[in-house]
Amino acid sequence: MKTLMLRWNRLSLVKRIFLGIILGVILALSVPKAAGIAIFGSLFISALKAVAPILVLLLVMSAIANHQKGRQTNMKKIIALYGLSTVLAGVTAVGASFIFPVKLSLVTDAVELTPPGGIVEVLNNLLFQIVDNPVNALMKANYIGILAWAILLGAALKGANDHTKSMLTHLSDAVSQIVKWVIQFAPIGIMGLVYESITTNGLSSLLNYGKLLLVLIGCMLFVALVVNPLIVYVNTRENPYPLVLSCLKESGITAFFTRSSAANIPINMRLCEKLKLNPDTYSVSIPLGATINMAGAAVTISVLTLAAVHTLGIHVDFSTALILSVLAAVSAAGASGVAGGSLLLIPLACSLFGISNDIAMQVVGVGFIIGVLQDSFETALNSSSDVLFTATAEYAKKRKEANSASVSA
């Protein structure tokens, strides 16, 4: 038994999740009425529900409290490019979700659903969620309220001493470690989720996951090969594809397999050096990008949220969709660096439409089922664009300086 466990632990999480999916399908087809299998999925979702609010609070607080102004070299431009790309990724995902609507197979009945009547009600709900009591926000998983309090507390603690900031960082790291422990049980939890989905809805439920993956990956490829190159061209006025393809090849491929923006930082640093970029800039922009440059996460949050909206038959107007795009971008910037971290922020976006936390966490569970590919593509897009926009900002600055010199001459 010990040898079997050692072999299991040596397998990557991706392989273990694949095995969990396969085992869930086999069990659902062979013993569809077995008791006690579906509970693993419920326990996994409950564990995520328990840790997610605290994770969001501490991660955002720590990031803001420990933020330092540092050198100004190109950073404003790079941060602006990070933000623009992330927002446009959210807009792309919203557009694709309307053109190719996907419905999910959810188990929980939506009898308590209270969808908003329009943009005014959405804004009204949003404002009251922002000013919610922090304890109540944590207890009821009000992610918008949690995010608001995390920003305020983080800003208030910027003037705290180093010991306090260090303690906050340690707490954030500790909760992130707990998330990693929970995610280690993902294969077993996903087995239970797949089993419950198939026994409840039939094999057709897996087809919905396939459609969802196509929309997600299609959006990420569109952002990587169309949206980002357009941003690069507007800033550099040069053919963007040599730089785009170089970043995808030398950064995106490794990020696809590591599924960690943080683990890909050394790769990105080496690529920046190869591109002869300013080390004073990329030494700051690359680690920062691993935290806030999350176009792939914005796609994931938007597509999965709108899949839940379509499933529940909620009407979404254009104005509300735009709010979702911005919220997805803001939420993505606070995504945890662990695998599947963006999925834990889906309840925040779902709350815009009155979707209960129980249903939202089922959507998170679906995200983990397809996460084998979704998270790989997401990380590849996020990490490769860190280098892309660092280089873009520097090339744009050189172009501007060259134009100024020519005018002066």
Side-chain angles (χ1 to χ4, degrees):
M1 185 65 181
K2 186 177 179 180
T3 304
L4 185 63
M5 288 299 297
L6 287 173
R7 289 181 178 177
W8 173 258
N9 289 329
R10 287 191 191 122
L11 291 175
S12 67
L13 183 61
V14 172
K15 292 180 180 179
R16 281 182 276 167
I17 287 176
F18 265 127
L19 291 175
I21 293 172
I22 293 170
L23 185 58
V25 173
I26 292 173
L27 290 174
L29 296 177
S30 57
V31 284
K33 296 183 179 180
I37 297 177
I39 194 174
F40 291 112
S42 300
L43 287 172
F44 180 60
I45 289 179
S46 295
L48 291 174
K49 287 169 64 177
V51 74
I54 302 174
L55 176 70
V56 172
L57 178 69
L58 290 176
L59 276 176
V60 177
M61 277 179 62
S62 177
I64 294 176
N66 287 285
H67 175 70
Q68 297 178 354
K69 292 183 179 179
R71 296 182 177 89
Q72 298 299 316
T73 311
N74 278 342
M75 284 309 301
K76 288 183 180 179
K77 179 74 172 180
I78 294 169
I79 292 172
L81 291 173
Y82 286 167
L84 177 62
S85 173
T86 305
V87 170
L88 290 179
V91 172
T92 298
V94 168
S97 295
F98 276 102
I99 297 172
F100 307 105
V102 177
K103 293 185 178 180
L104 305 175
S105 299
L106 302 176
V107 177
T108 300
D109 192 7
V111 292
E112 297 181 359
L113 185 65
T114 54
I119 183 63
V120 175
E121 189 174 345
V122 169
L123 291 174
N124 186 63
N125 292 337
L126 183 62
L127 289 173
F128 276 98
Q129 288 181 48
I130 289 173
V131 298
D132 193 9
N133 180 290
V135 177
N136 187 62
L138 284 170
M139 291 178 62
K140 294 186 176 180
N142 169 13
Y143 287 89
I144 293 177
I146 292 169
L147 189 61
W149 276 101
I151 292 171
L152 291 173
L153 289 171
L157 288 169
K158 286 187 73 173
N161 58 43
D162 291 340
H163 177 73
T164 301
K165 292 181 180 180
S166 177
M167 183 181 68
L168 190 58
T169 300
H170 290 323
L171 284 172
S172 175
D173 292 342
V175 177
S176 294
Q177 181 60 50
I178 292 173
V179 173
K180 291 178 183 179
W181 290 339
V182 172
I183 291 177
Q184 288 303 309
F185 290 95
I188 299 175
I190 287 170
M191 176 197 70
L193 292 170
V194 171
Y195 177 88
E196 184 175 17
S197 180
I198 293 176
T199 54
T200 304
N201 304 294
L203 278 172
S204 60
S205 61
L206 290 181
L207 181 61
N208 289 331
Y209 298 148
K211 292 177 181 177
L212 185 61
L213 259 179
L214 287 175
V215 174
L216 278 166
I217 294 174
C219 286
M220 292 179 194
L221 290 175
F222 185 83
V223 171
L225 299 175
V226 178
V227 175
N228 285 352
L230 279 174
I231 295 174
V232 174
Y233 175 76
V234 168
N235 284 274
T236 64
R237 293 294 193 273
E238 296 177 356
N239 180 7
Y241 284 100
L243 178 61
V244 169
L245 296 177
S246 177
C247 291
L248 288 173
K249 182 181 70 173
E250 300 195 33
S251 174
I253 291 177
T254 56
F256 182 91
F257 292 105
T258 61
R259 298 172 69 224
S260 170
S261 294
N264 213 47
I265 287 176
I267 303 296
N268 283 347
M269 292 281 198
R270 187 181 64 183
L271 178 55
C272 286
E273 183 179 2
K274 182 179 178 180
L275 293 173
K276 298 180 180 179
L277 303 181
N278 184 354
D280 288 340
T281 299
Y282 70 71
S283 62
V284 177
S285 67
I286 295 302
L288 181 65
T291 305
I292 68 169
N293 184 29
M294 296 288 175
V299 169
T300 297
I301 294 167
S302 298
V303 170
L304 284 172
T305 298
L306 286 175
V309 167
H310 292 314
T311 301
L312 298 170
I314 300 174
H315 173 71
V316 180
D317 55 32
F318 182 71
S319 301
T320 305
L322 285 179
I323 292 178
L324 174 62
S325 301
V326 176
L327 181 62
V330 174
S331 303
S336 170
V338 301
S342 61
L343 299 176
L344 299 180
L345 294 169
I346 289 172
L348 192 157
C350 283
S351 65
L352 268 181
F353 307 99
I355 299 174
S356 69
N357 194 48
D358 287 337
I359 295 178
M361 292 310 296
Q362 280 197 60
V363 179
V364 174
V366 171
F368 273 102
I369 292 175
I370 63 172
V372 174
L373 286 176
Q374 168 267 325
D375 196 46
S376 293
F377 277 95
E378 177 182 312
T379 308
L381 173 59
N382 292 340
S383 192
S384 63
S385 60
D386 294 346
V387 181
L388 179 67
F389 293 130
T390 298
T392 298
E394 185 159 332
Y395 294 164
K397 182 182 178 182
K398 290 179 179 178
R399 172 179 167 269
K400 185 176 180 181
E401 291 173 349
N403 289 340
S404 299
S406 63
V407 170
S408 299

